[in-house]
Amino acid sequence: MGLKERAVKFMEDKGVPLESVPTVLATFTAAKYFVWVGFLVTGVRFQPVRRLLKRPGPKRLRDNFVRRYPEFYSRNEKRILAGAEVVAKSRWFEPIGRRLTTNQTHAALGLAEGMLCYKVFFPIHAPLTLWVVASAYATGPHDDSMGYIDEYNSLRRISNVESTSLSSEEASEE
């Protein structure tokens, strides 16, 4: 079964109405970009890959790799640092790097780390995001419960009725 068929089956199983599928997909796309920005900001702020490589276990693995392939490591390290320097000095990135951190090169490397983490964790956060979005728009066919959006709208209507009736009661008292 292909990806499209699995996605359609998932939406049907969740109880997403057919007319809500484009809205679900658009919301998923928007949520995916919010998650992406979150990973980028986390990469710049916390530098997770560099912190991980400073821990004893991963540091030992990295040191073994450097010993085994020294020229490969140094060549790619220089290439990556040169690329980060170019990005840090670009007219598009310089204001962002200045706002986020004092060292633009570290900010450029942090963005690369955030992108790497986004891609590594994509198999985890993409289905989770789709599940959350589909759950928000779902109206299950087997149960009488409403989807989160419908429930929120019905609660809003109730609160508007109560506030309208309260204001009309206050007006009648005067």
Side-chain angles (χ1 to χ4, degrees):
M1 187 178 338
L3 180 64
K4 180 180 177 184
E5 291 83 19
R6 287 194 319 228
V8 168
K9 183 175 179 344
F10 173 76
M11 298 267 190
E12 287 173 354
D13 291 347
K14 281 305 268 180
V16 175
L18 186 59
E19 62 273 0
S20 296
V21 171
T23 308
V24 169
L25 294 177
T27 306
F28 169 72
T29 303
K32 182 180 70 164
Y33 283 113
F34 278 112
V35 170
W36 179 65
V37 168
F39 271 100
L40 292 180
V41 170
T42 301
V44 171
R45 173 65 180 93
F46 297 108
Q47 303 164 348
V49 176
R50 278 182 272 177
R51 284 187 179 192
L52 177 70
L53 291 177
K54 288 179 182 176
R55 297 184 61 94
K59 186 175 190 313
R60 200 174 1 193
L61 288 173
R62 192 192 91 202
D63 292 343
N64 288 339
F65 183 82
V66 171
R67 268 196 308 277
R68 184 172 282 160
Y69 307 104
E71 58 195 48
F72 175 81
Y73 182 82
S74 66
R75 183 179 65 235
N76 283 305
E77 182 182 35
K78 288 176 188 172
R79 189 175 59 95
I80 290 170
L81 290 175
E85 194 67 38
V86 168
V87 169
K89 291 183 178 177
S90 75
R91 70 181 189 145
W92 294 101
F93 180 74
E94 193 173 12
I96 297 169
R98 238 181 301 140
R99 279 194 176 228
L100 294 176
T101 139
T102 57
N103 188 342
Q104 279 95 9
T105 304
H106 286 288
L109 287 172
L111 280 175
E113 288 183 30
M115 181 59 79
L116 176 71
C117 290
Y118 176 81
K119 292 193 180 279
V120 166
F121 291 113
F122 191 81
I124 297 169
H125 68 77
L128 184 62
T129 304
L130 181 61
W131 178 77
V132 168
V133 170
S135 296
Y137 286 96
T139 54
H142 302 296
D143 59 359
D144 293 331
S145 66
M146 296 183 281
Y148 297 120
I149 302 293
D150 294 334
E151 191 171 336
Y152 170 74
N153 287 334
S154 68
L155 289 173
R156 252 180 101 196
R157 280 193 295 274
I158 291 170
S159 67
N160 286 342
V161 169
E162 288 177 5
S163 65
T164 307
S165 64
L166 286 176
S167 60
S168 63
E169 287 175 11
E170 291 173 358
S172 64
E173 287 176 9
E174 295 174 358

